[in-house]
Amino acid sequence: MNVHLRVAVKQLKQWSLSCWKEMIFVFITSGLLLWRVCISAVPFDELINVSLSYRLSLGQLPFLEVREAFQTGALILAPFLKLYTLLTGTTDGIVLFSRLLYLLAMLLLAILTYRSFRTITAHKNAFYLAYLCPFFQILSLYYLWYDS
């Protein structure tokens, strides 16, 4: 067996035996976050912003046919909503899709954060710093917008 592979297997065994409490914590809190995203009802801007992104995905022209002042934020989500409607053929679940897309973006940000900070701090500290990324949202709004 390769020397690097043996070292990696040894580190994996050591990590899996020493971090089981942290892993349970991560799974439970991630499950709760996913549950919250799926059942929450937000009385703020989410529906307006998702509908604006959907209008842009239908082909309405920004600044010409769309008159809202905050329409530039809708350009981020519009291509994903277009892809969603092409794949499903309906708009059922489009709000949930936009929320899950937000979580995916935050998970990618968490991976980037971990990879960036593991070189300057301990791996465990970098992990906990990156672990906060998916849990941060402004006013509990789970969608891609200019301020997220």
Side-chain angles (χ1 to χ4, degrees), residues 41-92:
V42 181
F44 295 112
D45 299 344
E46 182 178 27
L47 296 178
I48 295 168
N49 295 338
V50 170
S51 68
L52 183 58
S53 296
Y54 178 66
R55 286 173 45 204
L56 289 173
S57 73
L58 290 176
Q60 290 186 353
L61 298 173
F63 306 109
L64 205 60
E65 297 174 329
V66 179
R67 300 290 179 162
E68 284 82 358
F70 49 86
Q71 62 185 299
T72 54
L75 295 172
I76 299 168
L77 190 56
F80 298 108
L81 296 185
K82 180 69 172 179
L83 180 65
Y84 177 80
T85 54
L86 286 175
L87 291 176
T88 61
T90 182
T91 58
D92 292 346

Side-chain angles (χ1 to χ4, degrees), residues 6-141:
R6 275 188 259 160
V7 170
V9 168
K10 184 179 177 183
Q11 288 176 348
L12 182 62
K13 286 180 182 178
Q14 180 183 8
W15 181 81
S16 64
L17 293 176
S18 67
C19 296
W20 64 273
K21 291 179 186 176
E22 288 89 352
M23 289 171 48
I24 290 173
F25 175 74
V26 166
F27 285 125
I28 289 173
T29 54
S30 299
L32 289 173
L33 176 66
L34 189 59
W35 177 68
R36 180 180 178 200
V37 165
C38 290
I39 67 160
S40 67
V42 181
F44 295 112
D45 299 344
E46 182 178 27
L47 296 178
I48 295 168
N49 295 338
V50 170
S51 68
L52 183 58
S53 296
Y54 178 66
R55 286 173 45 204
L56 289 173
S57 73
L58 290 176
Q60 290 186 353
L61 298 173
F63 306 109
L64 205 60
E65 297 174 329
V66 179
R67 300 290 179 162
E68 284 82 358
F70 49 86
Q71 62 185 299
T72 54
L75 295 172
I76 299 168
L77 190 56
F80 298 108
L81 296 185
K82 180 69 172 179
L83 180 65
Y84 177 80
T85 54
L86 286 175
L87 291 176
T88 61
T90 182
T91 58
D92 292 346
I94 202 165
V95 174
L96 181 60
F97 173 74
S98 69
R99 291 177 180 185
L100 294 175
L101 192 64
Y102 173 81
L103 278 184
L104 178 66
M106 292 300 108
L107 287 174
L108 293 175
L109 180 66
I111 291 170
L112 180 66
T113 302
Y114 174 75
R115 291 179 60 95
S116 299
F117 281 95
R118 73 178 177 183
T119 59
I120 59 174
T121 186
H123 287 276
K124 201 173 218 181
N125 295 340
F127 171 77
Y128 284 123
L129 182 64
Y131 183 68
L132 294 175
C133 291
F135 291 92
F136 175 75
Q137 63 278 353
I138 299 170
L139 297 173
S140 294
L141 299 174

